[in-house]
Amino acid sequence: MSKVAHYLQEHVMGEVMTSLDARRYFATDASIFAVAPAVIMYPRNENDVRKTARFAWQMAERGRIIPITARGSGTDQSGAAIGSCVIMVFPAHMNRILELDAKTGVVIVEPGVNYGKLQQTLETHGRFFPPYPANLEYSTLGGAVANNTSGAKSLKYGDTRAYVKTLRVVLANGEMIETHKLSKRDLNRKLGLATFEGEIYRAVDTLIEENQKLIAKAGLNVTKNTAGYDLLDVKTKEGFDLTPLIVGSQGTLGLITEISIETEQHNPHTSLLAGFFDDVGKTQEAIMELRALSSMPCAIEMVDGNLLNVVQQVNPNQLKGLLPNPIPKAVLIVEFDDFGDHLQKRLSKRALKVLSKYAYAHEEATSEQDKDKLWKIRHAAATILAQSDNGLKAIPLIDDGVVPVAAYGEFYSKVEQLLQHYHVQVAIWGHAGDANLHARPLLDLSQVGDRQKAIRLMEEYYSIVIGLGGSTSGEHGDGRLRGPFLKHLYGPDMYEVMRKVKEIFDPYNILNPGVKINVTTEDIKPFIRQEYSLGAWYGHMPRS
Ligand SMILES: Cc1cc2nc3c(=O)[nH]c(=O)nc-3n(C[C@H](O)[C@H](O)[C@H](O)COP(=O)(O)OP(=O)(O)OC[C@H]3O[C@@H](n4cnc5c(N)ncnc54)[C@H](O)[C@@H]3O)c2cc1C
C-alpha cells in the first residue's frame, strides 16, 4: 500500500482503500474516459476532507503533487469524476439532510446526499428543487452543485447556481471557508485576513477589477451555461460572493462539504401537451411562440426522428400506439405547472393553438395515464443510452451544446448534417425550450477509425456551437471532454483570466487536475476508453 494510503488510514476517520477491484471501479465515470486512481477514501466528516487536503498541500510544498478528485455518484459525462491519485467518495457517509425549513424552503445538506431522496423529502413538504437532472435517482447534490446541473424544469426555474445560497468549502490547503453574499464591510474584513482565504479574496477581487470589460463580454446570449468559471456573478451591485464561482467548478477550486439551497413550491398537478412535427425547422417557430406566452411553460422538451427511428429498430413495441404515422421528424412535449386550474387551462389552450399552427398532429393528456404515455416518448432516450448493437454505443461526446434560442433550428440542422457527413447514426433530444441539445452519435470506440472520428466530430461540433454564439456546455460541465475547447469559446484573454482563477485557488494544481482548465485534446486522447458502458448505473433507469 502506498505511503499516501498509509498516512490517510492513520489520520482520517473514513475508510481508505487501494484494492485493485476498487481502483478499477472508480477508474470510470459516465464519460468516455478511464483514469485509475491510486487511493479511494470515504470521508466521514469535514475534518477528514480538511486533513486530506492539508496533507496534499504539505506534500506539494515539498515538491510532490497528490491530486484529489471529489466524487458523488460518478455520473459525470465529461470525465470530471475520475482522477489519478485520491478519489474522495462523498455519498458513503456525508449524505445527510441537515436542516429543512418548511416555511422558507431553505435546506442544508451534505454533498453526498442522494438527489432523488432529497427531492422526495422536499415533496412531502410541498416543495421541490427545480434544476434537477434527468438522472436524479442516481446522483448527488454535491455533483449537481459542482457541475451547475440543470434539467427540464430549468426552462422556467433556471440552473443550480440560481438556488445555492451558501457553501462550506475546504480549500486546497485544508482551510475551510463559508461562501455567501458579502456586504462591502464584510468583504473588507475578508480582504484583511492574513490567511489563504484572505489571499483568495484579495486576488479574486483584483482579478475582477482588472478585467471588468473582458468578464462582462464573456457573458453569452444563452439561457444556461456551465462552461468555464463564472466570474460575472461574483462582484455585483448586491455584493461580493464566491458561491457562483464554486458552483460549476467541478472540484477544481475547492471541496464542498455543506450546501444550503433555496427551493420552490411544488405543484404536482400539471398540464401536458405534445406536438408532432414533420420538419424540425417548424419546432423553432413553435418554441419562440411558446416561450412568449404570458407564463413560461415549465418544460419544452424534444426528441427527434433519428432517436425515434433507432428506438423503433431496437424495441419495435416500445412506442406502439404513441406516435402518429409517419414517424415525426420531431416531438415537442410542453408542460405547465402554474398554480390555479383556470390559469393552467388558459395556458394549455394557447399552447395547443401554437402547436396546431406548426405541428401536423398534437395532443393534450387528459389523465395521469395519458401524461405517462407522453413522457414515455421523451424517456425513450433511455433506450438509446443503453443501446449496444454491433459494438455501437451512444457516446457522450457532443452531448451538451447550447445556443441562443433563436438559433435552435440552425443548430439542429448543422449537427444533423455533420453526422451525415461522417456517415454516423445519431439520436438527438433535449431541452428544446432552452436550445440545449443532447446529440449522441453511435460509435464503436474499440475501432481506431471511430476513435479518430470521435475527435474530428468533437472539433467540428464545438466550432458549430461557438460559431452560433453558443456555449460548449449547457449543463454537463467541461471536464476533460470540453476543457480543450474553452480557449476557443472565450478567447485567449478571458481564458487566461480563468487560468488565473485556478492558480489563485489551487497554486499547486492539487484539485482535480486535467479537468476544465489547462487541458488540451492531446492530453485527453490517451484516456479515451476502448469500451464505453454506463455499467454501474443500469441498476437505475439510465435517463437523459
Ligand atoms: C444518463 C445520464 C443523464 C444525465 N442527465 C443530466 C441532466 O439532465 N442534467 C445535467 O445537468 N446533468 C446530467 N447528467 C450529468 C451528471 O450526471 C450530473 O451533472 C450529476 O449532477 C452529477 O452528479 P454526481 O453525483 O454523479 O457527480 P459526480 O459525477 O460524482 O461528480 C461530478 C463533478 O462534481 C465534482 N464533485 C462531486 N462532489 C463534490 C464535492 N463534494 N466537492 C467538490 N466537487 C465535487 C466531481 O469532482 C465532478 O467534477 C447526466 C448523466 C447521465 C449519465
Side-chain angles (χ1 to χ4, degrees), residues 62-192:
R62 284 185 237 151
R64 181 164 171 213
I65 305 301
I66 299 173
I68 301 173
T69 296
R71 179 156 165 139
S73 298
T75 65
D76 190 282
Q77 295 179 317
S78 69
I82 46 178
S84 63
C85 196
V86 178
I87 295 280
M88 204 177 260
V89 184
F90 281 91
H93 303 298
M94 295 183 66
N95 56 18
R96 291 171 305 161
I97 298 172
L98 300 172
E99 263 179 59
L100 193 166
D101 186 330
K103 259 199 198 143
T104 60
V106 173
V107 187
I108 303 175
V109 299
E110 290 179 317
V113 70
N114 175 273
Y115 206 128
K117 180 177 123 188
L118 172 68
Q119 201 74 295
Q120 277 174 14
T121 309
L122 285 169
E123 283 176 19
T124 63
H125 293 269
R127 307 207 61 98
F128 81 127
F129 190 46
Y132 60 88
N135 63 326
L136 78 166
E137 282 94 354
Y138 54 109
S139 60
T140 65
L141 207 72
V145 169
N147 270 358
N148 188 27
T149 292
S150 56
K153 301 292 189 286
S154 297
L155 174 66
K156 175 172 173 178
Y157 293 99
D159 58 13
T160 301
R161 190 175 278 129
Y163 287 88
V164 181
K165 270 172 72 74
T166 67
L167 293 171
R168 281 173 78 92
V169 181
V170 171
L171 299 174
N173 73 341
E175 256 178 57
M176 194 284 297
I177 63 167
E178 273 185 13
T179 71
H180 55 92
K181 200 152 275 166
L182 300 175
S183 64
K184 225 175 181 165
R185 218 169 101 196
D186 290 340
L187 175 63
N188 281 335
R189 218 173 284 142
K190 294 281 185 198
L191 293 174

Side-chain angles (χ1 to χ4, degrees), residues 40-60:
I40 296 103
M41 90 85 120
Y42 301 81
R44 278 203 177 257
N45 49 40
E46 189 176 87
N47 238 351
D48 279 359
V49 179
R50 295 188 62 183
K51 279 182 187 163
T52 309
R54 199 180 308 130
F55 171 64
W57 181 271
Q58 283 164 357
M59 294 299 283

Side-chain angles (χ1 to χ4, degrees), residues 428-476:
I428 305 178
W429 68 90
H431 314 303
D434 274 320
N436 177 207
L437 291 181
H438 303 318
R440 288 272 188 137
L442 302 187
L443 294 171
D444 179 354
L445 290 183
S446 69
Q447 303 297 315
V448 180
D450 275 13
R451 290 156 73 82
Q452 286 167 346
K453 242 183 221 174
I455 298 288
R456 284 205 299 274
L457 276 174
M458 268 202 304
E459 286 169 347
E460 292 187 35
Y461 169 86
Y462 289 114
S463 286
I464 291 172
V465 174
I466 295 167
L468 289 171
S471 165
T472 44
S473 183
E475 55 181 34
H476 294 171

